[in-house]
Amino acid sequence: MFFETYKTELIISVVLIIFILITRLILKKLIYKLGRATNINDARIRLISRYTTVTLVLITLLVETFIFGAQLKDLALLFSSVFAVLGIALFAIWSILSNITSGVIMFFSFPYKVGDKIQIHDKDFPIEAIIEDIRAFHLHLRLDNGDLVTYPNNLILQKAVTLIKKDAIDEGSDAI
């Protein structure tokens, strides 16, 4: 009975899911290709790939609601209620979201790579260090004295940064 009633919607849903899976595969390959071409480490490539998959799933769920007959006014009421609750909850964790967004931006346009020695021009806490790792929320920076500093992604995009040496780790390992 259910399958007979919603036969057209189910066929459209199957086509949509196949389309989304193909789109996901293409986007995943493009992200990996871009990541490899720009020498980005695999962990960051996988992270951006996961973000893309989650975004596609959310888009698919939204389109599915329209396929099965939801009206725009019903969705507007649902989304306004959900966003009101999420807005209050997310206000408390805005810095986490800011760091995640910065991590995605850094994946596509960050001019520095793991191993580069950089100087961060911060009037309160200037840093000169080697980038040891780039994570979803922060950078791992190794100071000359051996200390490890974690620096938030959103701050690295807000500060002036100077490249001191490209691949300082590789040059340091050759001397040993």
Side-chain angles (χ1 to χ4, degrees):
M1 182 78 174
F2 174 79
F3 292 109
E4 292 174 14
T5 306
Y6 293 104
K7 183 178 181 181
T8 306
E9 289 85 353
L10 291 172
I11 291 171
I12 294 171
S13 295
V14 168
V15 171
L16 174 68
I17 290 171
I18 291 169
F19 174 76
I20 291 296
L21 288 174
I22 292 170
T23 303
R24 179 181 171 269
L25 180 68
I26 292 169
L27 286 174
K28 196 171 184 178
K29 286 185 180 206
L30 286 174
I31 289 169
Y32 273 89
K33 190 174 186 178
L34 177 67
R36 300 253 189 241
T38 56
N39 294 327
I40 294 174
N41 68 12
D42 288 340
R44 288 187 61 214
I45 294 171
R46 284 191 303 276
L47 181 69
I48 298 299
S49 181
R50 279 189 220 125
Y51 289 163
T52 305
T53 300
V54 168
T55 303
L56 285 174
V57 167
L58 292 175
I59 290 170
T60 303
L61 290 174
L62 180 65
V63 172
E64 282 293 327
T65 58
F66 286 116
I67 290 173
F68 280 94
Q71 299 297 318
L72 189 58
K73 64 180 180 172
D74 299 333
L75 288 178
L77 176 65
L78 174 70
F79 282 121
S80 65
S81 301
V82 168
F83 283 129
V85 172
L86 283 177
I88 294 167
L90 294 179
F91 180 75
I93 58 168
W94 71 269
S95 115
I96 292 173
L97 292 175
S98 174
N99 283 321
I100 290 173
T101 304
S102 297
V104 171
I105 291 169
M106 287 169 54
F107 177 80
F108 291 106
S109 65
F110 195 55
Y112 313 109
K113 306 284 182 247
V114 172
D116 291 349
K117 186 168 188 174
I118 61 169
Q119 180 179 13
I120 301 170
H121 303 281
D122 185 350
K123 68 177 183 169
D124 297 326
F125 188 62
I127 295 176
E128 186 172 311
I130 296 174
I131 300 174
E132 198 168 271
D133 196 6
I134 302 173
R135 302 267 172 122
F137 298 102
H138 55 269
L139 294 169
H140 284 182
L141 303 172
R142 185 68 64 182
L143 299 177
D144 291 336
N145 66 5
D147 289 347
L148 179 68
V149 175
T150 57
Y151 203 81
N153 286 344
N154 62 348
L155 290 182
I156 196 79
L157 293 180
Q158 295 174 15
K159 305 289 181 184
V161 178
T162 302
L163 177 65
I164 296 174
K165 261 189 212 171
K166 200 115 177 104
D167 293 325
I169 291 176
D170 293 339
E171 291 175 12
S173 65
D174 292 340
I176 295 176

